Amino acid sequence: AGIGKCVAMDLARRNARTILACRSQERGQAAVEEIRAATGNPSVLLRLLDTSSLASVRAFAQSVLREETRLDVLVNNAGVTGLPFAVTPEGLEMTFATNYLGPFLLTNLLLG
């Protein structure tokens, strides 16, 4: 939803192979189908990613590096705000993990 979906729509309109990295399978698949229908680009894919989980970030990066021959653009758009204090299963504060640590780790893992 929001800015991330708009960016993905624009990339797909430019005929880019576009991977949506989403926490929710259901919402992500709906966005993929909407973007494919609006752009005619069949190369819009969904991969699950929860940036609050470093294990999820590592698994996502491994699959991208294994499945894709190249990565031209990475848009780190995930973020949360206003959540009550919570700690991830890995012992990290949820907002800090989601907004900073996850995207930082993802970027570094995908640099190659």
Side-chain angles (χ1 to χ4, degrees):
I3 293 171
K5 186 174 169 185
C6 289
V7 170
M9 184 77 75
D10 187 61
L11 291 170
R13 280 195 179 110
R14 296 168 190 256
N15 206 34
R17 180 174 172 82
T18 306
I19 301 171
L20 279 68
C22 302
R23 280 189 311 250
S24 166
Q25 173 81 34
E26 182 179 300
R27 291 180 60 209
Q29 192 58 46
V32 164
E33 291 170 13
E34 181 182 338
I35 293 168
R36 284 179 182 168
T39 65
N41 183 343
S43 295
V44 179
L45 311 169
L46 173 64
R47 299 290 181 266
L48 295 181
L49 171 63
D50 179 354
T51 59
S52 74
S53 164
L54 301 185
S56 176
V57 171
R58 286 186 175 95
F60 176 84
Q62 285 177 343
S63 71
V64 168
L65 292 171
R66 184 177 54 250
E67 297 169 9
E68 303 298 325
T69 58
R70 61 190 269 183
L71 178 65
D72 295 311
V73 176
L74 174 64
V75 179
N76 282 317
N77 184 61
V80 294
T81 186
L83 296 179
F85 179 82
V87 176
T88 70
E90 296 162 313
L92 305 167
E93 193 279 322
M94 180 70 74
T95 302
F96 186 59
T98 302
N99 294 351
Y100 300 101
L101 297 177
F104 179 82
L105 178 61
L106 180 61
T107 300
N108 280 279
L109 291 173
L110 293 176
L111 282 174

